[in-house]
């Protein structure tokens, strides 16, 4: 969304402003110098919006429960959002060459490998929650890749949202620590890659997005087992839907998700200009 809205570079710069010098100033009690570096005027509204969304989708609309009780509808919306993001990235690339195709196919192969890995029993240990936070935040920093989707793959999406809703510190603290570490390290690596290999990076990301549609396709033959007292998805295979009235709601949500991304892209273009 940051990429589509035209605030991505500002987002990366704001993250990178929390550098070694910032923390050194804090440790030396030079608070004025420390606070002058990060882009708080940008970050405070952004973080406020993020937390507002988390509260809304846990307290007002119980997304952790809906993703279990109404998976076709929730995944249909995700499908539309990711499909829209994929076409947005591809439209920014002009004049495709051999290296471009290789980058796109490489991203698609990597993405397909990752999204077909469905954990049978993802650990509930703190170290795995921290790892999930680190990987999810890294995905959120990459343009067009959903951190929520990474949590879905890791089997921790509903657990993390429910933990935030219940203010369960056993989930919130390790997740926040992992996210902070991932954000601090990966933002610098991504900034370097975007400066040196921007075109190839965008194509690889588009390939990953395209592959992710395989597992986000809302009509799946999902098989669950009770593991450690919790229902866990152990396999999922895309299937064709039964064409009829039941297809209307998922189809509408797909279109809504796709149109929303396109509309946000146009809004971001007008804002940037």
């Amino acid at each position: 969304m940051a990429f589509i809205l035209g605030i991505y570079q500002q987002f990366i710069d704001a993250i990178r402003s929390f550098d070694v010098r910032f923390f050194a100033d804090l440790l030396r009690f030079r608070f004025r110098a420390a606070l002058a570096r990060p882009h708080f005027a940008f970050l405070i509204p952004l973080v406020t919006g993020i937390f507002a969304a988390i509260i809304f989708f846990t307290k007002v609309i119980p997304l952790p429960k809906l993703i279990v009780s109404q998976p076709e509808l929730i995944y249909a919306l995700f499908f539309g959002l990711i499909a829209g993001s994929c076409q947005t990235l591809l439209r920014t690339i002009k004049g495709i060459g051999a290296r471009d195709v290789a980058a796109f196919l490489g991203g698609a192969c990597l993405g397909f490998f990752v999204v077909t890995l469905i954990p049978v029993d993802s650990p509930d240990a703190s170290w795995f929650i921290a790892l999930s936070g680190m990987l999810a935040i890294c995905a959120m920093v990459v343009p067009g890749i959903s951190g929520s989707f990474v949590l879905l793959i890791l089997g921790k999406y509903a657990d993390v949202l429910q933990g935030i809703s219940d203010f369960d510190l056993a989930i919130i603290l390790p997740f926040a620590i992992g996210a902070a570490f991932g954000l601090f390290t990966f933002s610098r690596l991504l900034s370097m890659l975007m400066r040196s290999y921007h075109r190839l990076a965008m194509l690889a990301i588009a390939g990953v997005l395209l592959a992710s549609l395989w597992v986000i396709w809302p009509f799946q033959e999902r098989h669950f087992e009770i593991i450690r007292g919790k229902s866990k998805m152990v396999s999922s295979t895309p299937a064709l839907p039964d064409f009829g009235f039941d297809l209307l709601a998922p189809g509408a949500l797909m279109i809504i998700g796709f149109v929303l991304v396109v509309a946000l892209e146009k809004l971001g273009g007008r804002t940037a200009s």
Side-chain angles (χ1 to χ4, degrees), residues 130 133-134 137-138 174-188:
M134 184 180 70
I137 204 69
C138 289
F175 184 82
I177 291 171
F181 178 78
L183 193 63
F184 182 80
T185 56
F186 187 70
S187 62
R188 284 152 177 77

Side-chain angles (χ1 to χ4, degrees), residues 60 102 111 180 208 215 233 246 254:
V60 181
V208 172
V215 72
M233 184 169 63
D246 292 339
M254 281 188 193

Side-chain angles (χ1 to χ4, degrees), residues 192-262:
M192 180 190 67
L193 291 175
M194 293 291 288
R195 286 197 307 268
S196 303
Y197 307 100
H198 181 271
R199 181 186 180 90
L200 296 180
M202 289 296 98
L203 283 164
I205 290 169
V208 172
L209 282 176
L210 184 66
S212 72
L213 295 178
W214 172 268
V215 72
I216 290 296
W217 177 248
F219 307 102
Q220 303 265 344
E221 293 181 359
R222 300 180 178 91
H223 300 281
F224 296 84
E225 290 184 8
I226 303 298
I227 300 174
R228 294 182 183 177
K230 295 183 179 180
S231 179
K232 301 282 188 177
M233 184 169 63
V234 297
S235 66
S236 181
T237 305
L240 289 175
D242 294 328
F243 292 92
F245 182 77
D246 292 339
L247 187 60
L248 293 179
L253 285 171
M254 281 188 193
I255 295 172
I256 290 172
F258 190 93
V259 171
L260 179 61
V261 171
V262 174

Side-chain angles (χ1 to χ4, degrees), residues 38-272:
H39 303 192
F40 286 110
F42 171 79
L43 287 173
I44 290 175
L46 179 66
V47 173
T48 301
I50 290 173
F51 276 101
I54 291 174
I55 297 301
F56 181 80
F57 285 109
T58 55
K59 297 298 185 181
V60 181
I61 299 178
L63 199 56
K65 296 178 181 178
L66 290 176
I67 204 169
V68 175
S69 62
Q70 302 289 340
E72 287 82 10
L73 299 180
I74 303 303
Y75 276 76
L77 182 60
F78 272 91
F79 189 94
L81 291 170
I82 294 175
S85 300
C86 186
Q87 69 85 29
T88 296
L89 291 177
L90 287 175
R91 286 200 301 108
T92 64
I93 306 298
K94 307 297 182 183
I96 302 296
R99 292 180 63 194
D100 301 327
V101 174
F104 179 77
L105 292 178
C109 291
L110 175 62
F112 187 77
F113 173 76
V114 171
V115 300
T116 53
L117 292 176
I118 301 176
V120 175
D121 184 15
S122 62
D124 293 326
S126 296
W127 68 266
F128 191 80
I129 296 174
L131 177 63
S132 300
M134 184 180 70
L135 295 177
I137 204 69
C138 289
M140 289 177 67
V141 173
V142 176
I145 297 183
S146 169
S148 301
F149 173 64
V150 171
L151 289 177
L152 283 172
I153 295 174
L154 295 173
K156 287 290 175 260
Y157 184 76
D159 292 342
V160 169
L161 279 186
Q162 195 62 54
I164 294 173
S165 176
D166 298 338
F167 201 69
D168 186 351
L169 293 180
I171 293 177
I172 294 175
L173 287 180
F175 184 82
I177 291 171
F181 178 78
L183 193 63
F184 182 80
T185 56
F186 187 70
S187 62
R188 284 152 177 77
L189 173 62
L190 182 62
S191 179
M192 180 190 67
L193 291 175
M194 293 291 288
R195 286 197 307 268
S196 303
Y197 307 100
H198 181 271
R199 181 186 180 90
L200 296 180
M202 289 296 98
L203 283 164
I205 290 169
V208 172
L209 282 176
L210 184 66
S212 72
L213 295 178
W214 172 268
V215 72
I216 290 296
W217 177 248
F219 307 102
Q220 303 265 344
E221 293 181 359
R222 300 180 178 91
H223 300 281
F224 296 84
E225 290 184 8
I226 303 298
I227 300 174
R228 294 182 183 177
K230 295 183 179 180
S231 179
K232 301 282 188 177
M233 184 169 63
V234 297
S235 66
S236 181
T237 305
L240 289 175
D242 294 328
F243 292 92
F245 182 77
D246 292 339
L247 187 60
L248 293 179
L253 285 171
M254 281 188 193
I255 295 172
I256 290 172
F258 190 93
V259 171
L260 179 61
V261 171
V262 174
L264 287 174
E265 179 197 8
K266 294 185 180 299
L267 175 64
R270 287 200 299 269
T271 303

